[in-house]
Amino acid sequence: MTQAPAAPKAARRQHDREIIALAVPAFGALVAEPLFVMADSAIVGHLGTAQLAGLGVASALLTTAVSVFVFLAYATTAAVARRVGAGDLQAAIRQGMDGIWLALLLGAAVIAIVLPTAPALVELFGASDTAAPYAITYLRISSLGIPAMLVVLASTGVLRGLQDTKTPLYVAIGGFVANGVLNVVLVYGAGLGIAGSAWGTVIAQCAMAAVYLFVVVRGARRHGASLRPDAAGIRACAQAGAPLLVRTLSLRAILMIATAVAARLGDADVAAHQIILSLWSLLAFALDAIAIAGQAIIGRYLGANDPQGARDVCRRMVQWGIASGVALGVLVVLARPLFIPLFSSDSVVQDAALPALVVVAISQPICGIVYVLDGVLMGAGDGPYLAWAMLATLAVFAPVALLVPTLGGGLTAIWGAMTLMMTVRMVTLWLRTRSGHWIVTGATR
């Protein structure tokens, strides 16, 4: 970033209040999302091993499908926040409605693909003959909730852009509770088995989408924004989201390569890798909450034609990212003897995981910077740069990770490659923020 005089204490306190007010509820909402799958797993697990295995395959497919479209939240947050900063709430909500219409169209397309291809998709993911029927049942029913899930993503982006992360938290908590109750009632009370779990999740997701739509529509009517689909607006949302789609797919490719390489090392290494990856994902939620605050705040400052304010808050969020990363790294080191036995009592798995966890701990300050700067550039609408930067990162990571089985080092080397990947991301993002090319003011980029 360009050097500038330190912001006065009063300004830093204001930035801190804004970051905390947005990041803390965002973290709660982020953590609530994976609890859906955990609740389903806990309930379905009592039906039998085959049902749980089927759920695992179907959930992996659904999670992948939805995560690909996370740009609906990211791009919408940035676009809405800019218009909020410019003082045009009507245009902000209109922009949000375009994102919601795009979500509905994409959701309908996904249903049209998943319903007829569910058996082939389940087979591609390697489900056993006993688990496959359950996976197909769960996947087909749950796919009906994908439009609602995508509407939730887009609507979350609208509210984040409006500087509201509390409503998504409340909706996420309500959805989690409803999902748990519905699953128990339909799986056991109605005797529907795994189909009941799928229907319970779909109903909860649709209810969440309905609440979001009520909130957004109420805001649209209050500010006189049109609710009708606008082809040009929907097309603009898709164009803004396309680079972020490339970024997300590149990141998914990195995670898949890491898991594939771990699998080549043996059962103990891949088991330890899954344990570490679950922890890494949990740590990412904490750091991503700051990034979400960054998306909303940076977009607002740029929309208000305040480039210096954007620079100052960017600098402050980087400090938050580093401090959070250090704290999380220390926590990982202290908790690792207690954490790993929760997932495996196998001494071979534990021995493989312990040194790799140290690498993960050391990398957390780097991760803190990466997540913050990623959020800053998303908030600035700098999607094309993020796409190219992630493609470059993938190009560096892939050959290094694929050489691990040949060169040795085991799981620790894989997570060393993951740390290299995050370091490359940090450098590319830091160079961009330092250049100042991301600072484009106005209601639109």
PDB file of all heavy atoms in Angstrom, residues 340-358:
ATOM      1  N   ILE A 340      -6.087 -32.921  17.941  1.00  0.00           N
ATOM      2  CA  ILE A 340      -5.972 -34.079  17.061  1.00  0.00           C
ATOM      3  C   ILE A 340      -6.634 -35.335  17.641  1.00  0.00           C
ATOM      4  O   ILE A 340      -7.343 -36.050  16.922  1.00  0.00           O
ATOM      5  CB  ILE A 340      -4.495 -34.348  16.716  1.00  0.00           C
ATOM      6  CG1 ILE A 340      -3.934 -33.164  15.923  1.00  0.00           C
ATOM      7  CG2 ILE A 340      -4.346 -35.625  15.895  1.00  0.00           C
ATOM      8  CD1 ILE A 340      -2.464 -33.266  15.618  1.00  0.00           C
ATOM      9  N   PRO A 341      -6.464 -35.646  18.939  1.00  0.00           N
ATOM     10  CA  PRO A 341      -7.123 -36.848  19.479  1.00  0.00           C
ATOM     11  C   PRO A 341      -8.642 -36.828  19.389  1.00  0.00           C
ATOM     12  O   PRO A 341      -9.276 -37.883  19.477  1.00  0.00           O
ATOM     13  CB  PRO A 341      -6.660 -36.873  20.939  1.00  0.00           C
ATOM     14  CG  PRO A 341      -5.356 -36.141  20.939  1.00  0.00           C
ATOM     15  CD  PRO A 341      -5.538 -35.057  19.932  1.00  0.00           C
ATOM     16  N   LEU A 342      -9.243 -35.651  19.220  1.00  0.00           N
ATOM     17  CA  LEU A 342     -10.694 -35.587  19.062  1.00  0.00           C
ATOM     18  C   LEU A 342     -11.141 -36.277  17.782  1.00  0.00           C
ATOM     19  O   LEU A 342     -12.271 -36.756  17.679  1.00  0.00           O
ATOM     20  CB  LEU A 342     -11.158 -34.123  19.045  1.00  0.00           C
ATOM     21  CG  LEU A 342     -11.006 -33.327  20.344  1.00  0.00           C
ATOM     22  CD1 LEU A 342     -11.413 -31.873  20.104  1.00  0.00           C
ATOM     23  CD2 LEU A 342     -11.858 -33.936  21.451  1.00  0.00           C
ATOM     24  N   PHE A 343     -10.242 -36.330  16.787  1.00  0.00           N
ATOM     25  CA  PHE A 343     -10.603 -36.872  15.477  1.00  0.00           C
ATOM     26  C   PHE A 343     -10.014 -38.257  15.222  1.00  0.00           C
ATOM     27  O   PHE A 343     -10.556 -39.005  14.407  1.00  0.00           O
ATOM     28  CB  PHE A 343     -10.131 -35.920  14.369  1.00  0.00           C
ATOM     29  CG  PHE A 343     -10.870 -34.617  14.347  1.00  0.00           C
ATOM     30  CD1 PHE A 343     -10.468 -33.555  15.135  1.00  0.00           C
ATOM     31  CD2 PHE A 343     -11.987 -34.454  13.544  1.00  0.00           C
ATOM     32  CE1 PHE A 343     -11.158 -32.350  15.119  1.00  0.00           C
ATOM     33  CE2 PHE A 343     -12.682 -33.257  13.520  1.00  0.00           C
ATOM     34  CZ  PHE A 343     -12.266 -32.206  14.316  1.00  0.00           C
ATOM     35  N   SER A 344      -8.900 -38.574  15.874  1.00  0.00           N
ATOM     36  CA  SER A 344      -8.284 -39.876  15.633  1.00  0.00           C
ATOM     37  C   SER A 344      -7.441 -40.290  16.834  1.00  0.00           C
ATOM     38  O   SER A 344      -6.690 -39.483  17.387  1.00  0.00           O
ATOM     39  CB  SER A 344      -7.405 -39.825  14.382  1.00  0.00           C
ATOM     40  OG  SER A 344      -6.725 -41.046  14.181  1.00  0.00           O
ATOM     41  N   SER A 345      -7.564 -41.573  17.188  1.00  0.00           N
ATOM     42  CA  SER A 345      -6.725 -42.138  18.248  1.00  0.00           C
ATOM     43  C   SER A 345      -5.541 -42.902  17.669  1.00  0.00           C
ATOM     44  O   SER A 345      -4.715 -43.434  18.419  1.00  0.00           O
ATOM     45  CB  SER A 345      -7.560 -43.075  19.128  1.00  0.00           C
ATOM     46  OG  SER A 345      -8.130 -44.112  18.335  1.00  0.00           O
ATOM     47  N   ASP A 346      -5.461 -42.941  16.327  1.00  0.00           N
ATOM     48  CA  ASP A 346      -4.380 -43.636  15.639  1.00  0.00           C
ATOM     49  C   ASP A 346      -3.087 -42.839  15.791  1.00  0.00           C
ATOM     50  O   ASP A 346      -2.998 -41.693  15.340  1.00  0.00           O
ATOM     51  CB  ASP A 346      -4.735 -43.809  14.160  1.00  0.00           C
ATOM     52  CG  ASP A 346      -3.749 -44.715  13.423  1.00  0.00           C
ATOM     53  OD1 ASP A 346      -2.566 -44.752  13.810  1.00  0.00           O
ATOM     54  OD2 ASP A 346      -4.172 -45.358  12.449  1.00  0.00           O
ATOM     55  N   SER A 347      -2.076 -43.459  16.408  1.00  0.00           N
ATOM     56  CA  SER A 347      -0.821 -42.744  16.661  1.00  0.00           C
ATOM     57  C   SER A 347      -0.112 -42.357  15.363  1.00  0.00           C
ATOM     58  O   SER A 347       0.575 -41.338  15.310  1.00  0.00           O
ATOM     59  CB  SER A 347       0.108 -43.604  17.519  1.00  0.00           C
ATOM     60  OG  SER A 347       0.418 -44.821  16.864  1.00  0.00           O
ATOM     61  N   VAL A 348      -0.280 -43.162  14.312  1.00  0.00           N
ATOM     62  CA  VAL A 348       0.347 -42.845  13.026  1.00  0.00           C
ATOM     63  C   VAL A 348      -0.268 -41.576  12.439  1.00  0.00           C
ATOM     64  O   VAL A 348       0.446 -40.701  11.919  1.00  0.00           O
ATOM     65  CB  VAL A 348       0.201 -44.025  12.039  1.00  0.00           C
ATOM     66  CG1 VAL A 348       0.824 -43.673  10.690  1.00  0.00           C
ATOM     67  CG2 VAL A 348       0.833 -45.284  12.605  1.00  0.00           C
ATOM     68  N   VAL A 349      -1.579 -41.475  12.525  1.00  0.00           N
ATOM     69  CA  VAL A 349      -2.269 -40.271  12.033  1.00  0.00           C
ATOM     70  C   VAL A 349      -1.845 -39.055  12.862  1.00  0.00           C
ATOM     71  O   VAL A 349      -1.561 -37.980  12.314  1.00  0.00           O
ATOM     72  CB  VAL A 349      -3.799 -40.460  12.104  1.00  0.00           C
ATOM     73  CG1 VAL A 349      -4.519 -39.148  11.758  1.00  0.00           C
ATOM     74  CG2 VAL A 349      -4.241 -41.564  11.152  1.00  0.00           C
ATOM     75  N   GLN A 350      -1.772 -39.214  14.158  1.00  0.00           N
ATOM     76  CA  GLN A 350      -1.374 -38.115  15.031  1.00  0.00           C
ATOM     77  C   GLN A 350       0.051 -37.656  14.734  1.00  0.00           C
ATOM     78  O   GLN A 350       0.329 -36.455  14.684  1.00  0.00           O
ATOM     79  CB  GLN A 350      -1.506 -38.536  16.493  1.00  0.00           C
ATOM     80  CG  GLN A 350      -2.944 -38.770  16.931  1.00  0.00           C
ATOM     81  CD  GLN A 350      -3.046 -39.180  18.397  1.00  0.00           C
ATOM     82  OE1 GLN A 350      -2.055 -39.164  19.124  1.00  0.00           O
ATOM     83  NE2 GLN A 350      -4.242 -39.547  18.836  1.00  0.00           N
ATOM     84  N   ASP A 351       0.947 -38.609  14.509  1.00  0.00           N
ATOM     85  CA  ASP A 351       2.337 -38.265  14.227  1.00  0.00           C
ATOM     86  C   ASP A 351       2.462 -37.515  12.896  1.00  0.00           C
ATOM     87  O   ASP A 351       3.321 -36.644  12.750  1.00  0.00           O
ATOM     88  CB  ASP A 351       3.202 -39.530  14.177  1.00  0.00           C
ATOM     89  CG  ASP A 351       3.388 -40.163  15.555  1.00  0.00           C
ATOM     90  OD1 ASP A 351       3.140 -39.458  16.557  1.00  0.00           O
ATOM     91  OD2 ASP A 351       3.747 -41.342  15.612  1.00  0.00           O
ATOM     92  N   ALA A 352       1.613 -37.853  11.943  1.00  0.00           N
ATOM     93  CA  ALA A 352       1.639 -37.161  10.652  1.00  0.00           C
ATOM     94  C   ALA A 352       1.067 -35.749  10.772  1.00  0.00           C
ATOM     95  O   ALA A 352       1.537 -34.815  10.103  1.00  0.00           O
ATOM     96  CB  ALA A 352       0.856 -37.952   9.612  1.00  0.00           C
ATOM     97  N   ALA A 353       0.058 -35.589  11.628  1.00  0.00           N
ATOM     98  CA  ALA A 353      -0.637 -34.303  11.720  1.00  0.00           C
ATOM     99  C   ALA A 353       0.108 -33.265  12.549  1.00  0.00           C
ATOM    100  O   ALA A 353       0.077 -32.072  12.236  1.00  0.00           O
ATOM    101  CB  ALA A 353      -2.035 -34.516  12.293  1.00  0.00           C
ATOM    102  N   LEU A 354       0.779 -33.694  13.608  1.00  0.00           N
ATOM    103  CA  LEU A 354       1.369 -32.734  14.552  1.00  0.00           C
ATOM    104  C   LEU A 354       2.361 -31.766  13.904  1.00  0.00           C
ATOM    105  O   LEU A 354       2.224 -30.547  14.066  1.00  0.00           O
ATOM    106  CB  LEU A 354       2.032 -33.493  15.709  1.00  0.00           C
ATOM    107  CG  LEU A 354       1.072 -34.005  16.790  1.00  0.00           C
ATOM    108  CD1 LEU A 354       1.804 -34.924  17.763  1.00  0.00           C
ATOM    109  CD2 LEU A 354       0.431 -32.847  17.548  1.00  0.00           C
ATOM    110  N   PRO A 355       3.368 -32.227  13.151  1.00  0.00           N
ATOM    111  CA  PRO A 355       4.288 -31.258  12.543  1.00  0.00           C
ATOM    112  C   PRO A 355       3.629 -30.403  11.471  1.00  0.00           C
ATOM    113  O   PRO A 355       3.977 -29.228  11.307  1.00  0.00           O
ATOM    114  CB  PRO A 355       5.394 -32.147  11.946  1.00  0.00           C
ATOM    115  CG  PRO A 355       4.781 -33.490  11.789  1.00  0.00           C
ATOM    116  CD  PRO A 355       3.795 -33.618  12.895  1.00  0.00           C
ATOM    117  N   ALA A 356       2.658 -30.975  10.751  1.00  0.00           N
ATOM    118  CA  ALA A 356       1.957 -30.188   9.734  1.00  0.00           C
ATOM    119  C   ALA A 356       1.142 -29.069  10.374  1.00  0.00           C
ATOM    120  O   ALA A 356       1.014 -27.971   9.808  1.00  0.00           O
ATOM    121  CB  ALA A 356       1.051 -31.099   8.902  1.00  0.00           C
ATOM    122  N   LEU A 357       0.606 -29.330  11.560  1.00  0.00           N
ATOM    123  CA  LEU A 357      -0.150 -28.297  12.267  1.00  0.00           C
ATOM    124  C   LEU A 357       0.739 -27.123  12.670  1.00  0.00           C
ATOM    125  O   LEU A 357       0.281 -25.976  12.715  1.00  0.00           O
ATOM    126  CB  LEU A 357      -0.834 -28.884  13.506  1.00  0.00           C
ATOM    127  CG  LEU A 357      -2.233 -29.470  13.303  1.00  0.00           C
ATOM    128  CD1 LEU A 357      -2.770 -29.998  14.615  1.00  0.00           C
ATOM    129  CD2 LEU A 357      -3.177 -28.443  12.713  1.00  0.00           C
ATOM    130  N   VAL A 358       2.006 -27.402  12.955  1.00  0.00           N
ATOM    131  CA  VAL A 358       2.931 -26.308  13.273  1.00  0.00           C
ATOM    132  C   VAL A 358       3.088 -25.394  12.062  1.00  0.00           C
ATOM    133  O   VAL A 358       3.117 -24.158  12.183  1.00  0.00           O
ATOM    134  CB  VAL A 358       4.308 -26.867  13.708  1.00  0.00           C
ATOM    135  CG1 VAL A 358       5.305 -25.735  13.898  1.00  0.00           C
ATOM    136  CG2 VAL A 358       4.167 -27.671  14.991  1.00  0.00           C
TER     137      VAL A 358
END
